[in-house]
Amino acid sequence: MDQIVIQGGNPLTGEIRIGGAKNAALPLMTASLLSGEPLTLKNLPRLADISTMSKLLEQHGVSVLRIEHGKGGMTMTFDAGGVDNTVAPYDLVRRMRASVLVLGPLVARFGEAKVSLPGGCAIGTRPVDLHIQGLEKLGAEIDLDGGYITARAPNGLVGDQFVFPFVSVGATENLMMAACLAKGETVLTNAAREPEVSDLAHCLVAMGAKIDGIGSDTLTIQGVGSLKAAEHSVVCDRIETGTYAMAAAITGGEIELKGVRTDLLEATFKMLGDAGLQIENTTEGTKVSLDSGGLKGVDVMTEPFPGFPTDLQAQVMALMSLAEGTAMITETIFENRFMHVPELSRMGANINVQGASAMVRGVEQLTGAEVMATDLRASSSLILAALAAKGETVIRRVYHLDRGYERIEEKLAACGAVIERAEEK
Ligand code: EPZ
């Protein structure tokens, strides 16, 4: 396993090009299963999860053509004209929860699907009960047996109304995709409004789907007989954007984030502005720096979009650990997303967890230490802390990082970070 070694203390200055969003790319790739004609996706990030999803689709019989690019994103074409297997096996699904997103497209187009239950992960149990309830509402017969979800709709799915009892990104995506091929109209109420959900909806419309209410919490889908070939460019990654914006702030530097749209991060940039960041739009993106007053403690509560994203909670905790004053950080989406707290504390952060809230009291300085990554976003939180800490930090188990951040050490080193990847000793 690899580790990342960082000598902290350098202000980061320069520019970072923001890639395509992992959490848009993964559902977009599963959308290819809905059509017998090829789907071409541009601006795909080079990430472990993208490779895992490609392998999963290939074992279903999707032909995957990869067109490498230089420093930009990848272009890949997915042709599901020859799908001959509707089973998603445990050994692939267990590695990546997003695999469950093949369920809706498979049962909608082929009338059957057998998908392993994803199992829990570091940040929570993360059940898929809403995915199942929604597909049943569209007429699928579902059995849970031997760790697998078996879904059948031999006469096809039938449109209906479904109200989400709480917001679920994945369940919204699965049901929106399934509804595209259901007979009649489907109305999804209290649907997720994340930009990645809207990006998927725009791609489905390009494939010939009929979807109204994109970007709102009510999606109305008129089923169609089949979908056609399309091309779509993946929306930029707002979580990568927020992470690198905080890298600029925590080191007292200045970074221009290229190719990013600030409307994807209004709540985040509002909070970061209150915490003392200067954020200004440029012709090619957004420039982020820390104003002269330094970092100030600001309370944060994670919420579904357009609220502050849970995927930036670990990163903002690292930032607040060096702020003047205190910050109360409350995690409302996942039940166990504070795994980064003990690791940050080992670097000198002063954090006190009470249930779903963590009280962060700013300290003068963090000190480098040996720490361990536990999940994707916790890893990036440790990177931020290490960039600002005095001395050397060694972050182990960085395979978590590779799932969601493309070439992170290259992008940070190009802005002056002293960072290298090495074999774990
Ligand atoms: C997506 O996960 C993202 N992953 C997550 O990003 C993100 O944190 C999450 O949405 C919330 O924004 C991808 O898009 C691939 P949910 P998802 O369904 O769809 C519970 C990252 O770091 N729930 O919105 O799995 C669930 O347990 C990852 O990039 C049910 O109870 O999230 C959670 O507590 C981490 N039953 C809450 O709802 C269900 O059927 C929100 O989950 C579905 C979800």
Side-chain angles (χ1 to χ4, degrees):
M1 278 189 264
D2 284 354
Q3 62 186 28
I4 281 185
V5 182
I6 294 174
Q7 307 297 335
N10 287 16
L12 299 190
T13 55
E15 57 187 56
I16 291 179
R17 173 153 298 281
I18 299 299
K22 164 180 83 82
N23 290 351
L26 295 172
L28 285 166
M29 290 165 76
T30 65
S32 66
L33 289 165
L34 286 166
S35 165
E37 299 183 22
L39 173 62
T40 296
L41 296 174
K42 298 180 165 184
N43 196 33
L44 284 163
R46 282 177 189 73
L47 297 170
D49 276 8
I50 302 298
S51 307
T52 304
M53 183 60 86
S54 297
K55 286 193 188 73
L56 178 64
L57 292 174
E58 282 174 326
Q59 68 87 40
H60 283 304
V62 176
S63 71
V64 177
L65 178 64
R66 189 188 308 265
I67 305 161
E68 287 295 339
H69 264 234
K71 291 284 187 202
M74 285 188 294
T75 297
M76 296 174 81
T77 296
F78 303 86
D79 187 338
V83 166
D84 53 6
N85 167 37
T86 58
V87 178
Y90 174 67
D91 67 311
L92 277 173
V93 174
R94 71 183 170 80
R95 267 188 253 164
M96 182 182 61
R97 174 185 168 74
S99 308
V100 75
L101 293 172
V102 301
L103 179 62
L106 286 173
V107 71
R109 179 156 167 242
F110 301 100
E112 61 173 29
K114 184 176 179 185
V115 177
S116 167
L117 280 162
C121 68
I123 61 177
T125 51
R126 300 179 74 186
V128 287
D129 48 328
L130 296 188
H131 300 242
I132 291 167
Q133 286 165 28
L135 287 171
E136 285 178 326
K137 199 75 190 306
L138 298 184
E141 293 145 32
I142 300 213
D143 292 311
L144 296 180
D145 187 32
Y148 278 79
I149 305 164
T150 302
R152 287 187 194 81
N155 304 315
L157 296 174
V158 178
D160 206 327
Q161 318 250 340
F162 184 74
V163 180
F164 290 95
F166 50 84
V167 173
S168 162
V169 170
T172 300
E173 291 167 340
N174 237 336
L175 295 180
M176 177 169 67
M177 287 192 281
C180 289
L181 296 181
K183 293 180 191 66
E185 178 177 273
T186 296
V187 180
L188 301 178
T189 308
N190 198 23
R193 298 171 51 196
E194 272 65 7
E196 296 75 28
V197 175
S198 299
D199 200 45
L200 173 63
H202 290 304
C203 178
L204 292 167
V205 167
M207 294 166 74
K210 293 184 174 26
I211 304 173
D212 288 316
I214 298 175
S216 80
D217 62 2
T218 304
L219 295 168
T220 303
I221 302 115
Q222 302 298 338
V224 294
S226 63
L227 296 177
K228 58 186 191 321
E231 201 169 278
H232 179 81
S233 187
V234 181
V235 69
C236 64
D237 193 323
R238 61 195 170 103
I239 305 305
E240 188 187 22
T241 302
T243 304
Y244 289 127
M246 293 188 226
I250 204 169
T251 60
E254 177 175 282
I255 298 178
E256 182 177 16
L257 304 168
K258 296 221 159 182
V260 75
R261 292 161 40 202
T262 50
D263 61 315
L264 301 179
L265 277 162
E266 273 173 30
T268 303
F269 281 160
K270 164 78 174 62
M271 176 267 156
L272 292 177
D274 293 346
L277 274 70
Q278 277 200 343
I279 298 159
E280 50 183 308
N281 280 326
T282 63
T283 49
E284 289 188 71
T286 303
K287 189 177 283 188
V288 181
S289 59
L290 188 57
D291 66 29
S292 53
L295 275 174
K296 293 182 180 44
V298 172
D299 292 350
V300 174
M301 178 177 281
T302 64
E303 292 173 303
F305 191 86
F308 190 94
T310 174
D311 291 347
L312 284 173
Q313 178 259 107
Q315 297 90 316
V316 84
M317 190 179 287
L319 185 69
M320 291 292 95
S321 65
L322 284 170
E324 184 192 324
T326 62
M328 173 72 90
I329 298 179
T330 302
E331 172 58 56
T332 70
I333 309 290
F334 290 104
E335 70 266 26
N336 183 32
R337 203 168 196 178
F338 284 151
M339 314 271 278
H340 41 286
V341 171
E343 301 304 306
L344 290 172
S345 303
R346 298 188 60 240
M347 299 177 72
N350 180 347
I351 305 169
N352 180 2
V353 174
Q354 298 288 338
S357 292
M359 173 60 86
V360 184
R361 291 180 176 81
V363 295
E364 274 304 303
Q365 187 160 62
L366 295 175
T367 49
E370 289 198 23
V371 291
M372 184 146 76
T374 51
D375 59 87
L376 169 56
R377 305 305 175 184
S379 317
S380 58
S381 150
L382 298 176
I383 294 255
L384 294 180
L387 290 168
K390 182 173 179 296
E392 178 175 280
T393 299
V394 179
I395 302 172
R396 303 185 185 292
R397 298 194 181 179
V398 290
Y399 59 85
H400 290 291
L401 208 56
D402 297 335
R403 294 190 53 180
Y405 291 94
E406 182 179 348
R407 299 181 293 116
I408 190 166
E409 63 269 18
E410 284 177 36
K411 292 184 176 183
L412 291 172
C415 291
V418 180
I419 179 171
E420 62 171 10
R421 182 185 287 257
E423 276 282 305
E424 198 160 299
K425 294 187 179 71

